[in-house]
Amino acid sequence: METVNGGQSTSSNVRKSKKPLQVSNCVYTSCYCEENVWKLCDQIRKTNPTELNEYYAVFISNKNHSIPLWMQKQSEDPLTAVVWDYHVILVQKPPSDKALVYDLDSIMGFPCPLELYLQQAIQSDATLKKEYHR
């Protein structure tokens, strides 16, 4: 069961870490997604080092350096895509649970189930012009 309230996720598949990442204790700099992900990894390294191998920094881009993402803070309308030259997210894949996405530029839950993030933030390339395919 997944609900999103005020940008916060209450998901039954969010695993309890020793010190879970929360938006309120994350360093965030707008438009510096790679720095934000690096800071998240550093925070995990310091607070939950045994879980660090569950996390992956994922770079999203294409040869045109123009990828649309929805549900982003930088958009006035979450249903309108923001076109980034690239975007970096942090994905956690615990051994016995579903994958989660940590994206401080998203208005979706933090963390957000990967499946939901793919559906709502990344969406399908099928409806996009080729220059926007990821």
Side-chain angles (χ1 to χ4, degrees), residues 9-26:
S9 173
T10 54
S11 174
S12 59
N13 66 348
V14 174
R15 196 174 97 185
K16 302 293 182 220
S17 293
K18 294 173 195 167
K19 292 186 180 181
L21 293 174
Q22 298 175 349
V23 172
S24 61
N25 63 11
C26 292

Side-chain angles (χ1 to χ4, degrees), residues 72-120:
Q72 298 287 289
K73 290 178 182 177
Q74 287 71 17
S75 178
E76 292 180 20
D77 175 6
L79 301 178
T80 301
V82 172
V83 179
W84 298 102
D85 51 348
Y86 65 92
H87 195 60
V88 184
I89 60 174
L90 186 64
V91 175
Q92 179 187 20
K93 179 53 181 112
S96 61
D97 217 340
K98 294 185 178 183
L100 300 169
V101 172
Y102 296 83
D103 180 359
L104 287 164
D105 289 301
S106 174
I107 62 170
M108 299 180 74
F110 187 88
C112 177
L114 176 62
E115 187 175 310
L116 183 64
Y117 190 87
L118 291 171
Q119 291 170 355
Q120 293 186 10

Side-chain angles (χ1 to χ4, degrees), residues 15-22 25 39-55 90 92 102:
R15 196 174 97 185
K16 302 293 182 220
S17 293
K18 294 173 195 167
K19 292 186 180 181
L21 293 174
Q22 298 175 349
N25 63 11
K39 292 284 189 182
L40 288 172
C41 291
D42 192 46
Q43 185 175 345
I44 296 162
R45 181 186 59 80
K46 290 175 181 173
T47 60
N48 301 320
T50 60
E51 295 178 7
L52 193 56
N53 64 344
E54 298 176 4
Y55 291 86
L90 186 64
Q92 179 187 20
Y102 296 83

Side-chain angles (χ1 to χ4, degrees), residues 62-64 66 68 125-134:
N62 63 21
K63 65 180 180 179
N64 298 318
S66 57
D125 280 349
T127 60
L128 298 175
K129 295 178 181 178
K130 280 205 181 256
E131 65 255 27
Y132 295 122
H133 286 194
R134 280 75 44 128

